[in-house]
Amino acid sequence: MSHRLGTLVALFALLLSPLAVLSPASAATPEQTYANQAVRATNAVRANHDRGAVKKNACLRKAAAQQARKMAAQQRIFHQDLGPLLQRCGMSMVGENVASGYPRGRAVVRQGWMKSPGHRANILNGGFDRVGIAARRGDDGRWYAAQVLGQR
């Protein structure tokens, strides 16, 4: 009986070993969490102002990520040239919000961009239907965030 039990335990362990390798996807990075919070907060604010939700767009996210990386590397905020994104991302209109120093994606939207007239106007622009958001932490420990909004 103990031999049979030992065999069953060994077989059970063998069957479960692939599950350890095939564990669920790893948790989101801090950068992904920040960006996802900002997208959700953007859509919540838009809904509160009777605007449609913006959908994530990979091309705009790539542009936002490049901008966030550049700002974090230089430890300052600045805008990028949005003209090339019109054709590259297939947009008819684009806008950008940038910020630094907000510890979470919700905060950058609610306490940052929504309290600035120009940034607020971008978020509430009913023509925008796509978004890409990215954030990077600089060597100074501050978060640098970029939000690129677009209209197809």
Side-chain angles (χ1 to χ4, degrees), residues 51 65 83 99 101 111 148:
R51 305 299 192 283
Q111 285 120 34
V148 182

PDB file of all heavy atoms in Angstrom, residues 51 65 83 99 101 111 148:
ATOM      1  N   ARG A  51     -18.990  62.352 -22.197  1.00  0.00           N
ATOM      2  CA  ARG A  51     -18.130  62.105 -23.354  1.00  0.00           C
ATOM      3  C   ARG A  51     -17.942  60.601 -23.465  1.00  0.00           C
ATOM      4  O   ARG A  51     -17.921  59.883 -22.464  1.00  0.00           O
ATOM      5  CB  ARG A  51     -16.750  62.752 -23.204  1.00  0.00           C
ATOM      6  CG  ARG A  51     -16.719  64.230 -22.923  1.00  0.00           C
ATOM      7  CD  ARG A  51     -17.362  65.050 -24.044  1.00  0.00           C
ATOM      8  NE  ARG A  51     -17.083  66.473 -23.924  1.00  0.00           N
ATOM      9  CZ  ARG A  51     -17.658  67.306 -23.079  1.00  0.00           C
ATOM     10  NH1 ARG A  51     -18.532  66.870 -22.203  1.00  0.00           N
ATOM     11  NH2 ARG A  51     -17.365  68.595 -23.076  1.00  0.00           N
ATOM     12  N   ALA A  65       5.004  56.391 -24.715  1.00  0.00           N
ATOM     13  CA  ALA A  65       6.116  55.725 -24.023  1.00  0.00           C
ATOM     14  C   ALA A  65       7.449  56.373 -24.397  1.00  0.00           C
ATOM     15  O   ALA A  65       8.301  56.608 -23.524  1.00  0.00           O
ATOM     16  CB  ALA A  65       6.133  54.239 -24.350  1.00  0.00           C
ATOM     17  N   GLY A  83       2.892  66.204 -35.187  1.00  0.00           N
ATOM     18  CA  GLY A  83       2.601  66.123 -36.622  1.00  0.00           C
ATOM     19  C   GLY A  83       2.832  64.742 -37.226  1.00  0.00           C
ATOM     20  O   GLY A  83       1.951  64.206 -37.910  1.00  0.00           O
ATOM     21  N   ALA A  99       3.096  65.487 -17.806  1.00  0.00           N
ATOM     22  CA  ALA A  99       3.155  65.888 -16.397  1.00  0.00           C
ATOM     23  C   ALA A  99       4.294  65.161 -15.710  1.00  0.00           C
ATOM     24  O   ALA A  99       4.798  64.150 -16.210  1.00  0.00           O
ATOM     25  CB  ALA A  99       1.837  65.574 -15.689  1.00  0.00           C
ATOM     26  N   GLY A 101       5.687  64.181 -11.429  1.00  0.00           N
ATOM     27  CA  GLY A 101       5.528  64.315  -9.990  1.00  0.00           C
ATOM     28  C   GLY A 101       4.282  63.700  -9.393  1.00  0.00           C
ATOM     29  O   GLY A 101       4.119  63.745  -8.176  1.00  0.00           O
ATOM     30  N   GLN A 111      -5.762  65.252 -10.331  1.00  0.00           N
ATOM     31  CA  GLN A 111      -5.144  66.407  -9.658  1.00  0.00           C
ATOM     32  C   GLN A 111      -4.203  67.194 -10.558  1.00  0.00           C
ATOM     33  O   GLN A 111      -3.837  68.315 -10.233  1.00  0.00           O
ATOM     34  CB  GLN A 111      -4.389  65.948  -8.408  1.00  0.00           C
ATOM     35  CG  GLN A 111      -5.301  65.603  -7.259  1.00  0.00           C
ATOM     36  CD  GLN A 111      -5.150  64.157  -6.826  1.00  0.00           C
ATOM     37  OE1 GLN A 111      -4.075  63.599  -6.887  1.00  0.00           O
ATOM     38  NE2 GLN A 111      -6.241  63.554  -6.393  1.00  0.00           N
ATOM     39  N   VAL A 148      -1.267  60.676 -25.029  1.00  0.00           N
ATOM     40  CA  VAL A 148      -1.482  61.115 -26.410  1.00  0.00           C
ATOM     41  C   VAL A 148      -2.886  60.667 -26.805  1.00  0.00           C
ATOM     42  O   VAL A 148      -3.213  59.487 -26.750  1.00  0.00           O
ATOM     43  CB  VAL A 148      -0.429  60.539 -27.369  1.00  0.00           C
ATOM     44  CG1 VAL A 148      -0.659  61.071 -28.782  1.00  0.00           C
ATOM     45  CG2 VAL A 148       0.991  60.895 -26.906  1.00  0.00           C
TER      46      VAL A 148
END
